[in-house]
Amino acid sequence: MTERNWSHVRTYFTSTKTETWFAIHVGKKVTFVMQLVIRRYRPADKDTVLTLFSTGILEHIRPCFYNAMTSPLYLTITSTLCVVGYLLGSVFGAVLFPAAWVGLIYYCCHEVYATVVRVRLRNDMQDIPGNFLSRPDDCFWVAEAEVGARAQVVGMVAVVAKHSGTEKYGEMFRMIIFPQYRRMGLGFRLTQTAVDFCKERGFSKVVLQTTSTQMAAVVLYSKVGFNRVLSNVKGLAAPWIISLARVTIIRMEKYL
């Protein structure tokens, strides 16, 4: 088997962007070098950013469904419905009852994340400059990978200033990376970019929300210094849908 790995080579910081160079290795041989730039969003990025947002959110449907259906409670419910259907008189019932249950759970898992996409694409993501770049304390960044002469947006993150009484803090949103560019440290660099921005603006802290399905993100944020402060079932989808999908909304914060 051919072994491939990414190694970080060098990072450059300027006032407008961060440039990072990676070398991809096949065995001991460097095959090509990739330049990674973290910069402010431009209007030309919109189509790619919307695609990245949609696919990045919807990819959580399958693991959400798997986590729900493999929980001890749902395994018990599924097997019980199978037995009840059979005892009511037919093999068809033994199949229909658990199938209806499984279909309901998949619908709930789908709606938890599909609702986020539908709602966000109708409002804030339709006007990124107006919603994320029109005030000095807000920002929206993209990570752009450059291999040779070709450049492609592969990740994004945003910060919006919030106020609570006299306290001003930043809320981090839209942290998404294309799958083939993960496990390269890009998530850490995007998160750190947002944290550094909040420090520069004099914010007291940075807060964010994620879900219990996205435990890799929770681990990443913990490594950057975020602490878990609240878990609940409140989200854009109906509470009963979130509850049946067994999804918990996790709120994390990092004091600066």
Side-chain angles (χ1 to χ4, degrees):
M1 180 180 293
T2 301
E3 181 183 354
R4 296 190 177 190
N5 62 80
W6 290 92
S7 63
H8 172 233
V9 179
R10 189 173 291 116
T11 302
Y12 301 94
F13 298 94
T14 70
S15 59
T16 57
K17 63 185 179 182
T18 302
E19 297 183 2
T20 304
W21 292 82
F22 290 87
I24 186 169
H25 295 261
V26 179
K28 295 183 179 180
K29 181 181 178 182
V30 177
T31 58
F32 64 87
V33 175
M34 181 187 74
Q35 182 186 14
L36 185 65
V37 178
I38 297 176
R39 59 168 175 79
R40 283 169 62 94
Y41 170 90
R42 301 169 187 159
D45 301 325
K46 182 176 182 179
D47 289 343
T48 304
V49 163
L50 293 185
T51 298
L52 173 59
F53 172 72
S54 299
T55 56
I57 298 298
L58 295 177
E59 72 176 10
H60 300 304
I61 294 171
R62 290 182 65 183
C64 176
F65 176 66
Y66 175 82
N67 291 344
M69 292 308 304
T70 55
S71 67
L73 175 61
Y74 281 16
L75 288 173
T76 301
I77 292 174
T78 304
S79 59
T80 300
L81 288 172
C82 184
V83 172
V84 169
Y86 181 78
L87 293 178
L88 287 177
S90 71
V91 175
F92 177 72
V95 173
L96 179 61
F97 285 16
W101 164 250
V102 170
L104 173 63
I105 300 307
Y106 182 82
Y107 167 79
C108 292
C109 294
H110 180 276
E111 282 303 294
V112 166
Y113 295 100
T115 300
V116 173
V117 173
R118 286 196 301 268
V119 171
R120 297 308 181 198
L121 288 183
R122 284 199 304 263
N123 47 51
D124 57 356
M125 293 299 288
Q126 272 303 312
D127 184 13
I128 294 173
N131 292 310
F132 294 99
L133 294 171
S134 61
R135 300 184 302 172
D137 286 341
D138 302 342
C139 198
F140 195 110
W141 299 268
V142 298
E144 184 178 72
E146 299 180 8
V147 180
R150 184 171 176 267
Q152 178 185 356
V153 171
V154 299
M156 63 182 182
V157 69
V159 166
V160 172
K162 301 283 185 176
H163 293 83
S164 178
T166 58
E167 182 184 28
K168 184 170 73 170
Y169 62 93
E171 185 161 5
M172 196 172 90
F173 295 94
R174 313 295 180 260
M175 170 63 166
I176 302 175
I177 301 169
F178 275 126
Q180 59 268 41
Y181 291 92
R182 295 172 189 169
R183 302 184 183 278
M184 295 166 46
L186 179 54
F188 178 87
R189 288 173 177 80
L190 283 169
T191 304
Q192 194 61 53
T193 297
V195 170
D196 291 343
F197 174 84
C198 292
K199 287 181 179 178
E200 292 171 2
R201 292 301 186 274
F203 295 164
S204 62
K205 62 182 179 180
V206 190
V207 303
L208 61 87
Q209 286 189 350
T210 185
T211 69
S212 53
T213 305
Q214 300 162 260
M215 290 312 297
V218 174
V219 171
L220 166 64
Y221 299 140
S222 297
K223 288 180 178 178
V224 179
F226 283 84
N227 295 307
R228 192 165 166 169
V229 294
L230 182 67
S231 298
N232 57 48
V233 296
K234 183 179 179 181
L236 292 179
W240 69 269
I241 288 178
I242 298 176
S243 295
L244 281 177
R246 297 182 66 83
V247 171
T248 301
I249 309 300
I250 300 172
R251 185 176 177 87
M252 305 182 76
E253 67 181 19
K254 174 183 172 69
Y255 278 91
L256 303 175

